[in-house]
Amino acid sequence: MPTTATAATAEEWPSFRGDPGLSGVAAAELPAAPALLWTFAAGEGIEATAAIAGGRVFLGSLDGTFSALDAATGRPLWSRQVEAEIKSSPLVAAGSVYFGDESGAVHALDAATGEPRWRATTGGGVTSSPNLAGGCLLVGSYDNFLYCLDPATGTERWKLETEGYVNATPAVWRDQAISAGCDGQLRLVRLADGRETAAVPLGGYVGASAAIAGNRAFVGSFENQVLGIDLERAAVAWTYANPEGSHPFYASAAVSGELVVVGGRDRLVHALDPTTGEARWTHPAGARVDASPVIAGDRAWVATLAGELLALNLADGRRVWSFETGSAFSASPAVAAGRLVIGDQDGTVYAFGRAPETDP
């Protein structure tokens, strides 16, 4: 059993944001104009981001069905029904797939067969996606606790009480979990024993997950702000706000070495300098952006609540590709094996990639 989740590779996107630091950066590149390769009808709406691992796509839906699909064809391989809505994006590690549900349960299934391995219970809904580091399966709950569970058995190793819901997925930095909470605090928590080593006030309610690059975390709030936090000093390094209006940031950021890319409910995609927080560019998305963007190659891939999937040039924010579905996207893209996979609120899963060659 690995002690830390693996990062995205060209062939796999094993977790909500691709790696333990929640960077939202894909190792795989996509074609300039991806073609629709297949669709799958999941039944009810999808708010969770898919995982791609071992040639399979894993994701849950709001009717409580968790499914494994063939990544090449979209053919269903197995499904498992759980107690409640699934909004928690899965994590795949060491042959298991982990996710939470709105009853407060955390599930571990055999990734090959869908058979249950264990089930743990929290005191509130689990929208947070699992992360894995230091022997902890980390997950937040609406019972106001951050949990460390044994990934092999589901046994609770420790839990840390906060002052609000833990909606966000915990990130990992060095030997600590980085947890942004609805209580407006970003907490640094030691993986070994669950001791809080620092808490950084964020100035308001936070639903987004923090993205880590180097020694900084980046997270948006419901107070019209994106914050860059120096983790070594446990202090806010900079604050960015849209000067033209007050709108929440619910989506998590994607962070490369050169840009912080985040969508807002102001209907804009913002690209910020990670050192200063200054805007490099903004792009009018035409609708609110609650889905977290992914950086792949020289593009940012963004999904909107109007049901449009966009590719933006990282250099200047110019739109270079788009696809309209007609149904809202809350789930974020997963990018691996030359494909982008995403589900919409109507329950349709889309896979885009290079169009198969046809005979002349």
Side-chain angles (χ1 to χ4, degrees):
M1 176 68 65
T3 58
T4 301
T6 57
T9 67
E11 297 302 315
E12 298 196 342
W13 183 271
S15 57
F16 168 49
R17 302 298 287 144
D19 57 63
L22 310 186
S23 71
V25 177
E29 294 196 19
L30 295 167
L36 180 62
L37 302 180
W38 54 259
T39 62
F40 171 76
E44 288 197 15
I46 297 169
E47 295 188 10
T49 299
I52 305 172
R56 298 183 174 196
V57 172
F58 301 91
L59 81 167
S61 61
L62 297 180
D63 63 0
T65 303
F66 191 86
S67 301
L69 313 175
D70 183 284
T73 65
R75 179 175 61 89
L77 301 174
W78 56 256
S79 65
R80 175 68 54 179
Q81 193 72 30
V82 301
E83 296 91 332
E85 294 180 331
I86 302 171
K87 299 179 181 178
S88 168
S89 304
L91 163 72
V92 183
S96 291
V97 56
Y98 304 95
F99 61 95
D101 70 35
E102 290 301 290
S103 76
V106 180
H107 302 270
L109 306 180
D110 184 297
T113 66
E115 291 300 311
R117 289 189 165 174
W118 54 255
R119 177 185 179 279
T121 303
T122 75
V126 176
T127 298
S128 166
S129 300
N131 205 341
L132 179 63
C136 283
L137 186 77
L138 296 162
V139 67
S141 171
Y142 271 49
D143 65 2
N144 298 1
F145 281 91
L146 173 68
Y147 286 83
C148 165
L149 306 177
D150 184 304
T153 65
T155 303
E156 182 185 305
R157 289 185 52 198
W158 53 256
K159 64 180 181 180
L160 175 75
E161 187 171 14
T162 73
E163 298 174 6
Y165 300 147
V166 185
N167 178 81
T169 299
V172 175
W173 176 70
R174 296 181 180 174
D175 62 349
Q176 300 192 70
I178 307 300
S179 179
C182 297
D183 59 2
Q185 301 284 330
L186 184 133
R187 301 173 190 274
L188 287 74
V189 183
R190 200 161 62 185
L191 291 169
D193 55 13
R195 184 175 71 86
E196 183 180 298
T197 61
V200 182
L202 301 176
Y205 183 94
V206 175
S209 304
I212 311 296
N215 295 322
R216 287 199 173 176
F218 306 91
V219 66
S221 78
F222 274 64
E223 302 300 320
N224 186 42
Q225 294 181 336
V226 180
L227 301 101
I229 297 119
D230 186 318
L231 295 173
E232 291 189 319
R233 295 191 300 114
V236 175
W238 53 255
T239 301
Y240 166 83
N242 179 357
E244 298 181 1
S246 180
H247 298 275
F249 288 92
Y250 181 73
S252 302
V255 186
S256 69
E258 300 178 352
L259 284 180
V260 178
V261 181
V262 61
R265 290 184 172 175
D266 57 2
R267 304 186 176 196
L268 296 173
V269 180
H270 304 256
L272 312 178
D273 185 298
T275 302
T276 65
E278 295 179 359
R280 295 273 188 86
W281 52 257
T282 59
H283 176 84
R288 297 192 311 178
V289 181
D290 279 359
S292 305
V294 168
I295 293 173
D298 59 0
R299 297 180 175 188
W301 301 83
V302 180
T304 79
L305 284 175
E308 192 171 20
L309 188 62
L310 312 174
L312 306 179
N313 189 324
L314 282 178
D316 55 14
R318 177 172 51 90
R319 182 183 302 207
V320 292
W321 177 85
S322 64
F323 185 93
E324 295 185 16
T325 68
S327 178
F329 288 114
S330 298
S332 307
V335 177
R339 296 179 180 85
L340 183 153
V341 178
I342 190 169
D344 68 19
Q345 290 187 4
D346 280 349
T348 302
V349 184
Y350 298 85
F352 299 88
R354 188 173 305 281
E357 295 183 4
T358 57
D359 294 331

